[in-house]
Amino acid sequence: MQAVILAGGLGTRLRPITYSRPKALVPLLNRPMILHALDALPAVVDEVIIAASYMVDALERFFSGRRESRRITFVEEEEPLGTGGALRNLEGTLRGRFLALNVDVISSVELEGLVATHKAKGGIGTLALWEVAQPEAYGIVDIDEDGRVQRFLEKPAADEVFSHWINAGAYVFEEALLDRIPEGRPVSLEREIFPVVLSEGVYGLPFQGYWSDAGTLGQYLDATRILLDRQTGSEEAAEIPSEVIPPVAIDPSAHVTGGSVGPYVAIGADSRVTEAHLSRSVLLERAVVEEGAAVVDSLIGAGATIERDALVRECIVGDGASVGIGSQRVAEQVES
Ligand code: GTP
């Protein structure tokens, strides 16, 4: 079976990190998101098609240095075609029934079960559904007792909310879906296609456990928290001369001394943290946090520096950027 990984978005909400790498290569617990997506695929998948556009070269370079157990095929969109246009662009590459996943989702959905449900229901598509209290930022889905989707609405206003089940970004589709998508222009699967193919049978499969897409800073930190809560004890055992409040994930090549680290902190390879305080934050590779600095609820890019006594809260600091001595940055995107 083939699986498509939708990895061609611009990732604007994670800027400036996504100015220098595609979202698919932004690490979650020191591992690029796209590898988490590949890990989630069931054994029945023997070919993965990566539908990419923005910074596709970086993705191809990443995979050229790796050995994967499955065949990986890149299909590039010259301009991003949206989630629907990306699938239409795969006409001729996709054969029969296929899986499709958003690259930025961390979840406990069992894709084998999604495929089995799809086969049993016999519709044109089946979506995994996750329940949230505040669905306005997502696509909401209403299903009947048989699991058949009755209504679908992308990003409803507060007074339009008819369901708390949201599209979790994992699908099984029949090849016939591709014909329903207009060719040669950007098309949103969620806004344009789902509403019109409901009559051909679209089913929803609710699941429980965990889910987060990692598309905004808050969701990215949530996804990190979920993964840290699930990691085994051995990964927490790194002995470092700092106060450590678990759970944390510290790359063995990172140098962390003094100060405090945690909870919910991930520190990437070759980073250096000296007598600083980090909580609910992620440092990518080669980041530096100097004496007396504090980093809270933030994502710090590769090679970025947080200088002495600075405070960074709810910020995305770009790769290579720096925050000067003693300065305070709150809810900002810090570019180099
Ligand atoms: P934002 O710009 O922050 O909204 O991020 P994004 O561009 O990734 O969009 P969004 O989070 O809505 O995308 C959901 C999923 O669809 C992600 O896995 C994206 O990589 C993917 N995606 C979005 N647009 C495209 C596109 O034009 N082509 C392809 N191939 N994938 C896309």
Side-chain angles (χ1 to χ4, degrees), residues 124-137:
I124 196 167
T126 303
L127 329 128
L129 302 181
W130 175 251
E131 195 171 24
V132 296
Q134 302 268 308
E136 289 87 344

Side-chain angles (χ1 to χ4, degrees), residues 153-208:
L153 184 62
E154 189 65 14
K155 300 197 174 57
D159 61 354
E160 292 175 320
V161 171
F162 52 73
S163 166
H164 288 263
W165 290 102
I166 62 160
N167 167 14
Y171 319 98
V172 182
F173 293 124
E174 295 297 312
E175 190 183 334
L177 180 89
L178 305 185
D179 295 341
R180 315 294 188 270
I181 305 172
E183 202 177 358
R185 67 166 173 88
V187 180
S188 159
L189 197 56
E190 300 85 343
R191 288 179 191 279
E192 274 191 67
I193 306 304
F194 286 153
V196 302
V197 295
L198 290 187
S199 59
E200 297 184 62
V202 176
Y203 289 83
L205 178 66
F207 69 97
Q208 289 179 339

Side-chain angles (χ1 to χ4, degrees), residues 14-22 25-27 54-55 220 282-287 299-305 316-322 333-336:
L14 282 182
R15 286 176 179 167
I17 289 291
T18 45
Y19 281 135
S20 45
R21 58 178 97 200
L25 293 183
V26 175
Y54 176 65
M55 299 191 89
Y220 174 84
V282 174
L283 267 51
L284 301 188
E285 61 276 11
R286 291 174 282 98
L299 167 58
I300 310 299
T305 303
I316 304 181
V317 177
D319 291 342
S322 51
Q333 300 184 335
V334 182
E335 293 179 36
S336 50

Side-chain angles (χ1 to χ4, degrees), residues 138-328:
Y138 305 101
I140 55 170
V141 182
D142 190 17
I143 53 173
D144 67 13
E145 322 75 70
D146 189 35
R148 186 164 175 161
V149 177
Q150 303 296 306
R151 279 185 293 174
F152 189 98
L153 184 62
E154 189 65 14
K155 300 197 174 57
D159 61 354
E160 292 175 320
V161 171
F162 52 73
S163 166
H164 288 263
W165 290 102
I166 62 160
N167 167 14
Y171 319 98
V172 182
F173 293 124
E174 295 297 312
E175 190 183 334
L177 180 89
L178 305 185
D179 295 341
R180 315 294 188 270
I181 305 172
E183 202 177 358
R185 67 166 173 88
V187 180
S188 159
L189 197 56
E190 300 85 343
R191 288 179 191 279
E192 274 191 67
I193 306 304
F194 286 153
V196 302
V197 295
L198 290 187
S199 59
E200 297 184 62
V202 176
Y203 289 83
L205 178 66
F207 69 97
Q208 289 179 339
Y210 60 89
W211 180 88
S212 180
D213 82 15
T216 64
L217 174 61
Q219 291 167 332
Y220 174 84
L221 295 175
D222 266 357
T224 301
R225 181 183 49 76
I226 288 169
L227 292 174
L228 281 167
D229 277 335
R230 294 179 51 71
Q231 74 177 1
T232 56
S234 62
E235 287 149 304
E236 293 170 34
E239 278 194 22
I240 55 169
S242 291
E243 184 193 350
V244 173
I245 307 154
V248 299
I250 301 173
D251 188 278
S253 64
H255 296 274
V256 183
T257 49
S260 63
V261 174
Y264 298 112
V265 166
I267 301 181
D270 300 314
S271 290
R272 188 159 46 80
V273 180
T274 313
E275 291 172 32
H277 300 276
L278 311 180
S279 65
R280 299 185 305 273
S281 292
V282 174
L283 267 51
L284 301 188
E285 61 276 11
R286 291 174 282 98
V288 174
V289 185
E290 296 181 348
E291 295 88 328
V295 177
V296 182
D297 294 321
S298 294
L299 167 58
I300 310 299
T305 303
I306 312 302
E307 295 181 4
R308 271 190 291 121
D309 299 324
L311 167 70
V312 174
R313 182 188 290 275
E314 293 169 39
C315 287
I316 304 181
V317 177
D319 291 342
S322 51
V323 173
I325 297 176
S327 52
Q328 301 206 354

Side-chain angles (χ1 to χ4, degrees), residues 53-94:
S53 180
Y54 176 65
M55 299 191 89
V56 63
D57 299 353
L59 264 171
E60 282 178 331
R61 261 199 315 280
F62 175 77
F63 278 98
S64 71
R66 291 181 59 85
R67 212 174 252 266
E68 293 298 328
S69 56
R70 302 176 169 100
R71 185 164 159 212
I72 306 270
T73 306
F74 278 91
V75 177
E76 181 179 352
E77 296 144 47
E78 271 180 32
E79 293 296 324
L81 288 171
T83 44
L87 295 182
R88 177 67 207 234
N89 192 47
L90 297 177
E91 198 168 39
T93 304
L94 288 170

Side-chain angles (χ1 to χ4, degrees), residues 6-13 23 51-52 77 80-83 86 102-104 215:
L6 291 164
L10 298 176
T12 54
R13 292 166 299 158
K23 184 159 67 176
E77 296 144 47
L81 288 171
T83 44
N102 288 357
V103 77
D104 52 359

